[in-house]
Amino acid sequence: SRFETCWPALMKDSHGVIIIFNPELPSHLREIEMWYSCFVQQQPLLDSQCLLVAHHKPGSAGDTENLSLAYPLNKLKLIHSNLEEDPEDVRMEFIKYFRSIITIINESREREEMSIIS
């Protein structure tokens, strides 16, 4: 894509990656593998630092709720967002995700401090 030259700057010191896609578009399903490869695997981040969000537009088919993604995407946390029906659910999932990222950051900071001390 034309923004690829900006990716290193976007990735620098990032602690988490959220990939939002439209599950009804086959092209999106192919692209999320590329995003995952570039932004998660090559950094490298843990799978727990990545969140997939299948965003359902208002009035969309909805039969994509039981979306089964292929390896390695099937190892990632996947949430379905439908802001018409259940915005609160999505909010709670985001809060859980951010809490987990903060925990990972704090743990790595503690490890760094211990390695400096010892």
Side-chain angles (χ1 to χ4, degrees):
S1 99
R2 58 192 166 160
F3 299 117
E4 274 179 56
T5 49
C6 308
W7 289 1
L10 288 172
M11 291 189 233
K12 189 180 179 330
D13 300 331
S14 64
H15 296 290
V17 175
I18 298 173
I19 300 172
I20 301 173
F21 64 100
N22 181 343
E24 290 172 34
L25 293 181
S27 63
H28 274 207
L29 296 176
R30 286 191 300 276
E31 281 171 28
I32 52 177
E33 290 189 31
M34 187 256 313
W35 292 111
Y36 171 73
S37 166
C38 292
F39 280 84
V40 181
Q41 289 179 311
Q42 288 174 30
Q43 286 222 66
L45 292 177
L46 302 169
D47 285 341
S48 57
Q49 288 168 277
C50 182
L51 178 67
L52 291 181
V53 181
H55 183 63
H56 300 268
K57 289 184 174 164
S60 62
D63 57 349
T64 45
E65 281 283 337
N66 46 21
L67 186 66
S68 60
L69 296 170
Y71 181 86
L73 299 173
N74 59 4
K75 302 181 300 176
L76 304 174
K77 171 93 177 135
L78 169 68
I79 66 170
H80 291 269
S81 77
N82 186 327
L83 299 180
E84 265 192 335
E85 287 174 26
D86 223 337
E88 189 56 27
D89 240 24
V90 177
R91 200 173 74 85
M92 290 309 296
E93 288 292 351
F94 269 99
I95 289 169
K96 267 195 284 189
Y97 170 70
F98 287 124
R99 280 197 185 129
S100 72
I101 295 293
I102 290 165
T103 303
I104 289 167
I105 294 168
N106 288 339
E107 284 171 357
S108 71
R109 192 170 291 148
E110 281 169 22
R111 275 197 304 274
E112 275 172 32
E113 286 168 3
M114 289 308 288
S115 68
I116 292 165
I117 293 165
S118 54

